[in-house]
Amino acid sequence: MSSVDSQQRVLSGMRPTGKLHLGHYHGVLKNWVKLQHEFECFFFVADWHALTTNYDDPSMIESSVWDMVIDWLAAGVNPGSATLFIQSRVPEHAELNLLLSMITPLGWLERVPTYKDQQEKLREKDLATYGFLGYPLLQSADILVYRAGRVPVGADQVSHVEITREIARRFNHLYGREPGFEEQAEAAIVKMGKKNAKLYRNLKKRYQEGGDMEALETARALLKEQQNISMGDSERLYGYIEGGGKIILPEPQALLTPDSKMPGLDGHKMSKSYGNTIGLREEPDTVAQKIRTMQTDPQRVRRTDPGEPEKCPVWGLHKVYSDNDTQEWVQKGCRSAGIGCLDCKKPVIDAIVEEQRPLHERAREYEGNPDLVRSIIDEGCEQARDAARDTLEEVRAAMGLRYR
Ligand code: TRP
Ligand code: SF4
């Protein structure tokens, strides 16, 4: 924890495996845009993670990296508010990955559900590799190298945050115990002054004996206010509340990304693997053409046949984009054959094009200026490295690698 306020730190990454679509926008990216105003955010391109499954065709990773960064910027992720960087440009991720690999039992990795699931799903690929087994550990290193307390992820990634917590706990347990820890912690308590010391002891007791989470929070807040104690003592006292040694790597929490309700062109969830996407920066003409050629209620063959919105994927888009009046107009018009399907699609096309207008506007500045994008990433990589270096110094020291 030291000088880092983990609870304020958010970290998340995305693998560069193609252009982003509106599903990403409505799910992950709008959430990032919101978080960047509330927390200290680090968002990165997980290119090494993409390599674990695409090692046979790395060229697609390269072309996706810059497109993806522009997609983020287009969506409103702001390099003034968040740090944007590329994983492979911060080698500390790899160093921490290696150090943590020493203490990670194989069984933990083999039991992560995504390991077997993805191997099944991507049968055409040989994923019996060391790198693929290590995927969740690399992700743990991504998170822990910034001591990020909050990790926005989809439901499919929660198990990776969970193993990160276990690895952090194991690390702290193994390396957070110095000789004389308890004595030093007790001495540090005294340095806070009588009143605060009493309060701290009381809160620690309430947490340890009664599992009182509020007491834990209050004790942490109390420590944050202390001016009289050193960073080392502060770390000890953070750890001491929970009974253990120093907390060198704090356990992160998953911040579950609100599920995107964005349906794709076929009515199923929008996803690259279903081929039913609208690109985040799709041109208006293409948007119109994609919607116009969408399948509608199969029973509605002729214009005069009444239809049923519930059987039509276009209705799913109205649910996202249309107000009550328009929705009612669709329901009535469809069931009475009062409107044609092209009439019905028009407001959806308009709404999507309208939604994308500011995204195109923001993107334009970057599309014509690759140097600008590079400089944003250069700066982000530097900032990220500074934060990552600090952690590694502490990690090396704790592991007895001070002699290097
Ligand atoms: N595994 C994540 C995904 O596929 C991407 C990722 C890599 C990530 N490292 C991370 C997400 C660290 C959050 C934190 O979506
Ligand atoms: Fe679908 Fe609209 Fe046509 Fe009804 S009128 S079938 S809801 S596109």
Side-chain angles (χ1 to χ4, degrees):
M1 308 263 257
S2 63
S3 51
V4 177
D5 185 352
S6 293
Q7 287 310 307
Q8 271 301 110
R9 237 185 219 186
V10 164
L11 172 113
S12 199
M14 233 188 249
R15 297 181 309 143
T17 52
K19 286 198 175 163
L20 301 185
H21 52 66
L22 285 182
H24 295 112
Y25 176 64
H26 283 275
V28 181
L29 288 176
K30 275 187 174 169
N31 192 40
W32 284 13
V33 169
K34 179 165 98 43
L35 291 169
Q36 72 184 353
H37 302 299
E38 300 167 6
F39 299 101
E40 181 191 6
C41 289
F42 290 82
F43 298 132
F44 74 101
V45 180
D47 54 346
W48 281 337
H49 277 94
L51 264 185
T52 63
T53 49
N54 292 55
Y55 58 84
D56 53 348
D57 180 22
S59 63
M60 91 97 97
I61 297 176
E62 184 176 10
S63 62
S64 302
V65 167
W66 301 108
D67 270 336
M68 198 166 85
V69 172
I70 295 177
D71 283 337
W72 294 357
L73 296 165
V77 178
N78 178 353
S81 313
T83 302
L84 310 182
F85 66 100
I86 297 171
Q87 184 182 33
S88 63
R89 296 263 302 268
V90 185
E92 283 75 11
H93 290 234
E95 186 177 347
L96 186 58
N97 177 68
L98 178 133
L99 293 175
L100 295 176
S101 77
M102 307 299 170
I103 65 163
T104 304
L106 272 180
W108 289 11
L109 292 171
E110 286 159 350
R111 277 197 299 273
V112 174
T114 51
Y115 178 57
K116 291 259 151 58
D117 289 356
Q118 289 293 100
Q119 281 186 337
E120 296 276 310
K121 217 171 130 196
L122 305 172
R123 261 176 189 284
E124 71 285 2
K125 301 198 175 180
D126 177 6
L127 293 181
T129 58
Y130 176 54
F132 187 69
L133 177 66
Y135 186 114
L137 179 60
L138 182 57
Q139 186 161 349
S140 301
D142 298 336
I143 298 166
L144 297 174
V145 86
Y146 301 101
R147 290 175 277 195
R150 303 173 194 252
V151 183
V153 284
D156 62 321
Q157 296 287 312
V158 170
S159 63
H160 294 176
V161 180
E162 203 44 53
I163 192 176
T164 306
R165 295 168 61 82
E166 273 160 31
I167 290 166
R169 208 174 304 148
R170 186 164 164 86
F171 184 94
N172 296 327
H173 180 75
L174 284 167
Y175 305 116
R177 279 173 201 276
E178 339 156 74
F181 173 79
E182 210 136 305
E183 290 75 8
Q184 290 194 56
E186 286 295 331
I189 294 178
V190 174
K191 288 183 203 156
M192 288 196 291
K194 243 197 182 133
K195 198 169 126 247
N196 286 333
K198 192 170 163 202
L199 184 56
Y200 176 88
R201 287 211 171 86
N202 192 343
L203 291 164
K204 173 170 177 285
K205 189 164 167 218
R206 266 169 55 200
Y207 174 68
Q208 286 188 358
E209 290 172 15
D212 183 341
M213 293 304 287
E214 224 178 279
L216 175 65
E217 290 302 315
T218 315
R220 284 179 175 161
L222 174 71
L223 288 177
K224 224 165 98 182
E225 288 166 14
Q226 299 307 307
Q227 314 269 319
N228 299 343
I229 55 178
S230 70
M231 225 139 84
D233 274 345
S234 167
E235 274 174 37
R236 277 177 204 104
L237 291 182
Y238 270 106
Y240 199 45
I241 311 171
E242 293 164 88
K246 270 212 272 193
I247 293 184
I248 301 162
L249 299 176
E251 292 176 34
Q253 273 179 326
L255 273 188
L256 204 60
T257 303
D259 213 12
S260 152
K261 289 188 203 68
M262 187 68 195
L265 295 166
D266 57 0
H268 299 290
K269 187 187 158 90
M270 189 178 283
S271 158
K272 196 176 77 169
S273 52
Y274 300 152
N276 62 359
T277 61
I278 297 172
L280 189 139
R281 285 180 280 143
E282 194 94 55
E283 289 303 329
D285 287 352
T286 332
V287 172
Q289 195 234 339
K290 281 188 172 179
I291 305 281
R292 275 196 217 108
T293 50
M294 261 177 87
Q295 174 71 259
T296 59
D297 175 1
Q299 310 277 293
R300 217 182 160 194
V301 185
R302 274 164 303 229
R303 166 71 177 76
T304 47
D305 296 336
E308 173 48 56
E310 295 300 338
K311 294 185 182 145
C312 175
V314 179
W315 173 240
L317 291 173
H318 275 292
K319 285 199 272 195
V320 174
Y321 286 102
S322 299
D323 59 20
N324 284 339
D325 287 352
T326 309
Q327 291 190 5
E328 218 159 279
W329 169 79
V330 172
Q331 297 264 352
K332 283 208 182 108
C334 179
R335 292 183 178 131
S336 65
I339 60 171
C341 289
L342 282 177
D343 305 323
C344 178
K345 288 170 171 179
K346 173 107 182 6
V348 171
I349 296 172
D350 291 346
I352 296 178
V353 168
E354 195 50 43
E355 171 177 73
Q356 288 178 320
R357 193 194 309 277
L359 279 75
H360 280 296
E361 258 163 42
R362 274 191 295 265
R364 230 186 324 272
E365 193 189 343
Y366 303 108
E367 283 161 343
N369 194 350
D371 286 346
L372 176 59
V373 182
R374 276 194 177 272
S375 75
I376 288 169
I377 292 295
D378 285 349
E379 198 172 310
C381 291
E382 276 313 308
Q383 275 178 29
R385 266 201 101 168
D386 284 343
R389 277 197 193 103
D390 288 346
T391 306
L392 270 153
E393 265 171 38
E394 287 199 37
V395 164
R396 286 188 211 109
M399 290 182 84
L401 293 161
R402 254 181 281 228
Y403 51 82
R404 322 180 321 144

